[in-house]
Amino acid sequence: MMRPCMASAPPNAVAYESKSPRETLAEMRLGNSRFWTGKSERPNMSMVERRELISGQRPRVMVIGCADSRVPIEIVFDLGIGDVFVCRNAGNLTNDSVAGSIDFAVHVLGIKLVVVMGHQSCGAVKAAMAKPFVAPKPPMLAKMLVGIRESLDYCVDVLDGIEDKTARDREAVIANAQVQVRKIVDEPGIKLKIERKELLVIASFYDMSSGIVDFVEPREPSLRKEY
């Protein structure tokens, strides 16, 4: 039977593993701050350091982001090779494939922070929330957009009440990211780690014009804990 690769960790793994989820989140904020203020360090690893990663990985965070080419996750957070475990798809959605990757990240790699990142001008969310909504002909694309639309039914009245289009689009993207977070934390193994303060799962919004990533704290009291 095949088992997940548990190869030895790279040299920086000990420092990462000793940090709490909230400390890791603070580092993410700092990295993004370097990016949008034009002070990115852009970690460039030497050949020796790259070779050391062959033996295993210990990324500090998992980011579920959009497939949009304008949202380069490692660059936005000023991270280097081996620092972040990334899943990207249109609309930063959580499906069975992504759920399996989350399980691997959390239960095998020991990641303590999972970020779902939506972004300004997300075409998938815009298309899903368009009025009138017209499902595109490609069947899988239509299925994806209908799924986003249905998942946001709970807040459609609130979104419709926002007159400013830019603000409405932003809130729709954030709501979608929060829906994905709720899906993640509903998994029993993930929920247990959150209750033990071993894991933080949080939504975020990337403003492409400013470069700033805003982290959105969970609204549910049971998830709004200090880590």
Side-chain angles (χ1 to χ4, degrees):
M1 181 174 65
M2 293 183 65
R3 301 181 63 184
C5 177
M6 296 293 288
S8 60
N12 58 4
V14 175
Y16 296 163
E17 291 173 357
S18 66
K19 296 184 182 297
S20 71
R22 287 284 172 183
E23 288 173 329
T24 302
L25 179 61
E27 288 188 343
M28 295 289 283
R29 293 182 192 272
L30 286 174
N32 176 241
S33 179
R34 291 194 300 271
F35 166 70
W36 67 262
T37 57
K39 299 177 182 178
S40 294
E41 297 175 355
R42 294 191 176 91
N44 291 315
M45 306 181 74
S46 68
M47 181 181 295
V48 172
E49 290 171 316
R50 291 196 302 272
R51 285 181 179 275
E52 287 175 342
L53 284 174
I54 296 173
S55 64
Q57 61 169 326
R58 281 295 185 272
R60 66 182 82 174
V61 60
M62 177 179 189
V63 178
I64 301 167
C66 187
D68 195 305
S69 62
R70 301 167 294 176
V71 190
I73 290 169
E74 288 88 348
I75 294 175
V76 166
F77 289 108
D78 194 28
L79 295 172
I81 300 172
D83 287 338
V84 56
F85 192 74
V86 178
C87 277
R88 295 178 65 175
N89 59 67
N92 41 272
L93 306 177
T94 301
N95 52 32
D96 288 346
S97 176
V98 174
S101 296
I102 294 170
D103 277 351
F104 179 76
V106 172
H107 300 296
V108 178
L109 295 179
I111 282 174
K112 299 177 182 179
L113 174 64
V114 176
V115 178
V116 180
M117 189 170 77
H119 67 93
Q120 181 182 22
S121 299
C122 178
V125 175
K126 276 187 176 182
M129 300 306 292
K131 289 191 174 182
F133 174 70
V134 180
K137 290 184 178 180
M140 297 309 293
L141 176 57
K143 181 179 180 180
M144 180 190 75
L145 296 181
V146 169
I148 295 175
R149 188 177 181 87
E150 290 177 347
S151 70
L152 294 181
D153 277 348
Y154 79 98
C155 63
V156 68
D157 291 339
V158 175
L159 295 174
D160 288 346
I162 302 174
E163 295 183 0
D164 182 78
K165 184 178 182 300
T166 300
R168 183 171 62 251
D169 288 347
R170 174 189 171 94
E171 291 305 313
V173 169
I174 292 173
N176 177 58
Q178 290 176 315
V179 166
Q180 309 313 316
V181 167
R182 284 197 291 273
K183 290 179 180 178
I184 295 169
V185 302
D186 279 346
E187 198 280 321
I190 297 295
K191 184 177 294 184
L192 181 61
K193 280 190 170 286
I194 292 173
E195 291 172 350
R196 291 176 174 173
K197 301 183 180 180
E198 298 171 352
L199 176 68
L200 173 63
V201 183
I202 192 167
S204 65
F205 178 85
Y206 171 55
D207 187 297
M208 291 194 297
S209 57
S210 68
I212 296 173
V213 175
D214 289 323
F215 292 91
V216 185
E217 294 290 341
R219 292 178 180 175
E220 294 84 348
S222 62
L223 301 180
R224 198 185 303 118
K225 297 179 179 180
E226 290 302 319
Y227 295 83

